[in-house]
Amino acid sequence: MTERVVLAYSGGLDTSVAIGWLGQETGAEVIAVAVDVGQGGEDMDVVRERAIACGAVESVVVDAKDEFAEEYCLPAVRANALYQDRYPIVSALSRPLIVKHLVDAAMYHGATTVSHGCTGKGNDQVRFEVGTKALAPDLKVIAPVRDYAWTREKAIAYAEEHGLPIDVTKKSPYSIDQNVWGRAVETGFLEDIWNGPIEDLYSYTSDPAQPRDADEVVIGFDGGVPVTIDGKPVSVLQAIQDLNERAGAQGIGRIDVVEDRLVGIKSREIYEAPGAMTLIAAHMELENVTIERELARYKRGVDQRWGELAYDGLWFSPLKRSLDAFVDTSQEHVTGEVRMTLHGGRATVTGRRSTSSLYDFNLATYDEGDSFDQSMARGFIEIFGMSSTLANKRDRTVAGE
Amino acid sequence: MTERVVLAYSGGLDTSVAIGWLGQETGAEVIAVAVDVGQGGEDMDVVRERAIACGAVESVVVDAKDEFAEEYCLPAVRANALYQDRYPIVSALSRPLIVKHLVDAAMYHGATTVSHGCTGKGNDQVRFEVGTKALAPDLKVIAPVRDYAWTREKAIAYAEEHGLPIDVTKKSPYSIDQNVWGRAVETGFLEDIWNGPIEDLYSYTSDPAQPRDADEVVIGFDGGVPVTIDGKPVSVLQAIQDLNERAGAQGIGRIDVVEDRLVGIKSREIYEAPGAMTLIAAHMELENVTIERELARYKRGVDQRWGELAYDGLWFSPLKRSLDAFVDTSQEHVTGEVRMTLHGGRATVTGRRSTSSLYDFNLATYDEGDSFDQSMARGFIEIFGMSSTLANKRDRTVAGE
Amino acid sequence: MTERVVLAYSGGLDTSVAIGWLGQETGAEVIAVAVDVGQGGEDMDVVRERAIACGAVESVVVDAKDEFAEEYCLPAVRANALYQDRYPIVSALSRPLIVKHLVDAAMYHGATTVSHGCTGKGNDQVRFEVGTKALAPDLKVIAPVRDYAWTREKAIAYAEEHGLPIDVTKKSPYSIDQNVWGRAVETGFLEDIWNGPIEDLYSYTSDPAQPRDADEVVIGFDGGVPVTIDGKPVSVLQAIQDLNERAGAQGIGRIDVVEDRLVGIKSREIYEAPGAMTLIAAHMELENVTIERELARYKRGVDQRWGELAYDGLWFSPLKRSLDAFVDTSQEHVTGEVRMTLHGGRATVTGRRSTSSLYDFNLATYDEGDSFDQSMARGFIEIFGMSSTLANKRDRTVAGE
Amino acid sequence: MTERVVLAYSGGLDTSVAIGWLGQETGAEVIAVAVDVGQGGEDMDVVRERAIACGAVESVVVDAKDEFAEEYCLPAVRANALYQDRYPIVSALSRPLIVKHLVDAAMYHGATTVSHGCTGKGNDQVRFEVGTKALAPDLKVIAPVRDYAWTREKAIAYAEEHGLPIDVTKKSPYSIDQNVWGRAVETGFLEDIWNGPIEDLYSYTSDPAQPRDADEVVIGFDGGVPVTIDGKPVSVLQAIQDLNERAGAQGIGRIDVVEDRLVGIKSREIYEAPGAMTLIAAHMELENVTIERELARYKRGVDQRWGELAYDGLWFSPLKRSLDAFVDTSQEHVTGEVRMTLHGGRATVTGRRSTSSLYDFNLATYDEGDSFDQSMARGFIEIFGMSSTLANKRDRTVAGE
């Protein structure tokens, strides 16, 4: 029986060429799988047909937008996942989902190998391969660009030679990955990290410096899940899409960062994530209102590690599962509404209310109704500070003061 | 010999009244100490004289602006100190400095007691008292507002009765603490956390929504210390002041947060910290360029704990000192320049350069000159993912799959 | 209606006297609640009757041994709870359970107050009172020893005066708290921390230095729960009791430590916990076999924090619950058997086997059958070390080497 | 000019054969470097001469015992370095030191390559190669056993064929690495992790089960450095050697553990480290007496990470340096004496005294002289527990209770 390879198919030049090339190189039949995670761009039917035209024996398009929002973006909101306190792990979130569908397709179609288009110096290869091994350790993985040094030039030559239905002339200067959670852009001139980004890079966001009217939005959460926008029920996907549009129109969510890749190097990345950044900002403030202090302090460390694991391609790892359990428990009471002003590149919280609030007006107020018993403070201070006080005293004694 | 009390003196109604009142209540002589940490407002000579007019036997004004910038604000920059990932601990930073000068004055003037004007439900009482005990465990501390339930109404009555040189009629609706690092505002109507802040609250920052031209600034650091602004050498104090002005003019650094107080309650706080937020943003990005990944990841946890300790009044504690040592070591190579656009409430990094950069163009580039050996990737991925892969395999075996 | 107080009753002098005294002082009726957590000593029926004889209107004995083992000791095993890496939090574990039964009794009997016999300088008062507030914030708490400076001398005088059925003559030099999880001893001469403990202190353990034959035991776990001893099914309580006896006979589980109390001071404590130490040692090694590396590394921090929270009286706190969720998830595959030699004060693991083992003979062996692909190592080392290598290179460049 | 290779030389079969083989394979001259880290066994002069006899152009023996003790073992004591809370990283500590001397020799002798005898599935290859790159990124590394699949059988054949001065007939069933800090043993029959270790494995320790008299030792530390044994000044090396002998004679320091290797697999290891385990136990207890609680709690996490970094071969990494700075600061007051009973496999602390003690008899005692102000407790408890109390109240309110 002929071997079969499942290829993560984007519809672009590289993976279109890879169909024929993989068949040629390995003698295998190629099954193209395109996963719709809200990357927009081309009609997915066109994408599917192109794979067949390029020689795939099967071509599948999976509409995984809701699955992506609910199973991947939502946990990222609940863990306030910001790699380096900054970047809402746009590409990293989609990889395990794509892997899952590749593996499903491989099982269904009896393939022995999966293939992806990543290079050998990025994070995505790790996410694809560690993810695949997690779900199906016996599947082989081929990365033509990395393993066979397949280049853009060779791809163009191959496409022209074989008359593949791809326009090889329009060469974007940008290397882009996008999905409903955000958009990542790399490009040559930004590899000089002193160069600033230019307006032309952006697609999800308008120029924040342009004058326009502010937009006010109220986001409602239930147990850490965004469930309403301005009081109207929404799915997680709708919440992200709606905020992508509204926050994007206000220029919110642009990120320019020198990033620590898992493969040991630093790279310079531009991201846009208007919906993600707005949701996370709202969620963090609702946590401030509804999560107890010691849990909140500890959760910061959990959130950081969660983001690192997701970034590092360890989505399907034991530690990730245990951190998920921690985060899930923490979200039980993250219920309420956050009002934000979206304007000029800023998503600013202006109000929050919650039936699960831990903010207690009567304890907090300095006006009438104050119920805080200030006589407790002296004892607290005395004992709270005691271990440190004794240490300072010791230090002076030892120093002979 | 008559007992002496050193009072942390602000020049305002409460502490002016406290001079006479403390004398009356305790029979002690009162020494007023006003510490200038850049709070602005009144002329410090007027403040000093007022204390005498109110009955102080000594009145001292300490210009501690440079000391504050260098010994307190600078460590906060180096530790990216943002309590709850948000608030650059404005008041918390000044307290240990004020304590230090109170204790010095107590030693110098032979006082047995220090006194501060804090209430019994805030963090500042803890900072004052734990700080004082750290430096001079034998000093007593009196907090009249807390310990004797001294109220504003009683203060006004006392001031009028004794003809103290204070205008008791102008009642600000705001409770304010400010210094060169920032400004904190509380007020009754914000105790309803659904209410949004109004423009009237702000003093260090202009309305970010007002149209104006962008301002570009280049901040230079040497070993984690800001040393130049636009190429011009500056002291730390000058850097903060300059950025307060320029970032403040662009509406940068407003913070509205529900905060976890050390005393167990949540409170709602408004802050302005244009210089602090700009410096920390620049510093964090320069760290991204110059600090190795594992150190950077660990340092986030150290930074968080550092900020919590400073917030919690444990400035002079053994753990704080050891975290300082960690941070100091980490800053050795945080040298270079960060270019930022200040505009519309946003301080956006647009470029960074460093002679200590860990960003390696040749490793990062996808263009000519690429020196990254992609053949190393397979081995890395295999072994990096192995422990997780084995665990996933085990899970399936145990599940009988 | 007469007020009612629920008293945590031990049957000893202090709490026996407290019955009459509390009634006298507060005018309330006293309900005595004795919780059997395996402290041994007196017959619990005698204890119940004594409370009535001392004036209690109701006297309840709760056999909570199984509940204690399953709901309190077991989570401690799963979290390897060793405060300061040393002490299996004997007293701290029983407090929340006792609190729960006090609160239940207060609800049932319509009491408005609970009372305990702790002093004002230990941890237990915190555990009792923070625990009570967690479960029933409206209940008042009275601690006569602390709040009214009730002393042993006054207690003896009161007992004699009122003819209470207690032998006040036998004065133990030791202050003891014990339950099935272990035994804590304090005594005057050990307050000099240079003094060594004497054999007379111990009751759960024989002298480890005495010659005797070794005992071999096989402990079986299922999902982190001890379920068999030498192949025989046991309840958690039975496992602890059996190991208390067998490990105790071998002198295992003695601890002598200078401990950081929550109330800010250091104290010197002697503990015996033969069963606890043996179970935790077995559990830790089974985790080594069945838990993936990154989860294991992170779990150490979680375990530490879990132990601190339990020690600090925060059993019923939000962070504790989220850590529990983390730990629960981690235990899914902690299944298998651990063989130990109990001898001469040592509980030594000599073998472990598990159907969920992550130890893979074929990967580990250096003999025939080795399936580890050593060619992967170079790539791993290159990329694993890269960020550190680049940093060292930069350091030398900057230093001009 | 002929290329030169510096070989980490042990004097054993594998590295003796490697001398000739490396020359043959690479055309390079081989310089043998044997580093004496207290591994004992053969006379180092014999080792040096054997390398020449085997064809080395230069043969160097470095007596690094004191350097190893002071620069590598001592930091491990101060960081209480126990990988998996159990194993005092015996081999891991010596690798960076050996690397340092290999690199020094390479510089001195103009070599371009270093070579080590590690396999491709262990941790040591990582430690050698990441260490070498840290100190000299341009040096190449060859690991014949791994890179050229050199086996024991081939080595014996080569040795016999070339008449090398090595007895190839005495085949130990054990794979051993030892130095003054401890001894690591692997062997085939222990690869079945249910098999128990046998007495024959051990060399640094006597059978703990054999009856003998106890030994009492007093270890003195100054700033975290062991400086006296029974009052007699010692170097760090002497302290380790003395305790190896005395604790070894009592059977102390045997470890049997399933270990998480850096390369992703679990392996079963037997260690002996009598001096190391005794020193660390003494040091930990002296820390309990002299380190303030919050620093102590945080330091546990630092210690864990320090041990992981050392284990993982990241000795010369930026994070390691910053953790060192933290640890150094923490040790300032770790001064005093610890008395231990060494007996029957146990190193038991029985007393501790320190001029820097934070243990305060007057605060701790329940007898006369008690200076703890118990009236402070109520306020402390109230405020310490408040955030948790409020959360529990909220939970019940939300649950409709």
Side-chain angles (χ1 to χ4, degrees), chain C residues 120-121 134 137 191 194 256 261 266 268 288 291 293 316 339 344 346 352 359 363 365 374 392 396, chain D residues 120-121 134 137 191 194 256 261 266 288 291 293 316 339 344 346 352 359 363 365 374 392 396:
Chain C
K121 63 193 285 186
E191 289 174 355
W194 186 247
D256 171 1
R261 287 214 186 139
K266 290 184 183 281
R268 199 268 188 93
N288 285 344
I291 291 190
R293 183 185 62 206
F316 302 111
R339 189 183 58 233
R346 288 162 292 108
R352 56 301 261 167
Y359 174 82
L363 286 170
T365 186
Q374 302 199 14
N392 279 295
R396 268 190 306 275
Chain D
K121 63 193 286 187
E191 289 174 354
W194 185 247
D256 170 1
R261 287 214 185 138
K266 289 183 183 282
N288 286 343
I291 292 192
R293 183 185 62 206
F316 303 110
R339 188 182 59 232
R346 290 163 292 109
R352 58 298 263 167
Y359 174 82
L363 285 170
T365 187
Q374 304 201 13
N392 279 295
R396 268 190 306 275

Side-chain angles (χ1 to χ4, degrees), chain C residues 378, chain D residues 2-10 13-33 51 54-58 102 111-118 140-150 155 158 162 164:
Chain C
R378 279 194 86 86
Chain D
T2 315
E3 294 267 314
R4 299 188 136 199
V5 176
V6 169
L7 172 69
Y9 185 60
S10 72
L13 172 67
D14 287 339
T15 55
S16 293
V17 164
I19 293 172
W21 180 89
L22 271 172
Q24 197 175 290
E25 192 81 10
T26 65
E29 292 175 353
V30 176
I31 293 150
V33 174
C54 290
V57 298
E58 302 270 0
L102 292 179
T112 57
T113 304
V114 296
S115 181
H116 62 78
C118 307
K140 277 173 296 184
V141 182
I142 300 182
V145 174
R146 176 192 68 198
D147 300 341
Y148 301 98
W150 196 248
Y158 184 98
H162 293 77
L164 298 189

Side-chain angles (χ1 to χ4, degrees), chain B residues 290 292-293 333 355-358 363 372 376-380 382-384 386-388 390-391 394-395 398, chain C residues 290 292-293 333 355-358 363 372 376-380 382-384 386-388 390-391 394-395 398:
Chain B
T290 57
E292 185 269 344
R293 183 185 61 204
H333 292 295
T355 54
S356 299
S357 176
L358 290 174
L363 285 171
F372 190 97
M376 295 289 110
R378 279 194 86 88
F380 173 70
E382 180 75 19
I383 293 184
F384 171 76
M386 189 179 294
S387 66
S388 175
L390 293 173
R394 182 266 317 268
D395 292 1
V398 169
Chain C
T290 56
E292 186 269 344
R293 183 185 62 206
H333 292 294
T355 54
S356 299
S357 176
L358 290 173
L363 286 170
F372 190 97
M376 296 289 108
R378 279 194 86 86
F380 173 71
E382 180 75 18
I383 293 185
F384 171 76
M386 189 179 294
S387 66
S388 175
L390 293 173
R394 181 265 319 267
D395 293 0
V398 169

Side-chain angles (χ1 to χ4, degrees), chain C residues 4 8 70 102 158-159 176 197 298 317 337 388:
Chain C
R4 298 186 137 200
E70 278 159 33
L102 292 179
Y158 184 99
I176 293 168
Y298 198 92
S317 69
E337 289 185 315
S388 175

Side-chain angles (χ1 to χ4, degrees), chain B residues 341-354:
Chain B
T341 298
L342 309 177
H343 192 223
R346 289 163 292 108
T348 309
V349 173
T350 62
R352 57 301 261 167
R353 60 186 171 197
S354 167

Side-chain angles (χ1 to χ4, degrees), chain D residues 327-380:
Chain D
V327 173
D328 284 352
T329 318
S330 74
Q331 297 299 293
E332 186 180 353
H333 292 295
V334 183
T335 296
E337 290 185 315
V338 175
R339 188 182 59 232
M340 301 180 96
T341 298
L342 310 177
H343 192 224
R346 290 163 292 109
T348 309
V349 173
T350 62
R352 58 298 263 167
R353 59 185 172 197
S354 168
T355 54
S356 299
S357 176
L358 291 173
Y359 174 82
D360 181 325
F361 175 84
N362 291 322
L363 285 170
T365 187
Y366 285 99
D367 290 335
E368 230 168 305
D370 183 356
S371 64
F372 190 96
D373 181 355
Q374 304 201 13
S375 73
M376 296 288 109
R378 281 194 84 88
F380 172 71

Side-chain angles (χ1 to χ4, degrees), chain B residues 145-157:
Chain B
V145 174
R146 176 192 69 198
D147 300 340
Y148 301 98
W150 196 248
T151 64
R152 186 164 183 86
E153 289 64 36
K154 291 189 201 168
I156 292 174

Side-chain angles (χ1 to χ4, degrees), chain C residues 176-224:
Chain C
I176 293 168
D177 182 53
Q178 63 188 41
N179 59 51
V180 74
W181 194 239
R183 187 168 171 271
V185 190
E186 294 172 339
T187 184
F189 81 93
L190 291 178
E191 289 174 355
D192 178 339
I193 61 176
W194 186 247
N195 286 339
I198 56 174
E199 206 50 38
D200 189 43
L201 288 164
Y202 299 105
S203 149
Y204 281 23
T205 53
S206 302
D207 182 354
Q210 289 311 307
R212 65 179 72 76
D213 290 339
D215 185 6
E216 189 176 272
V217 64
V218 176
I219 306 175
F221 289 85
D222 186 356

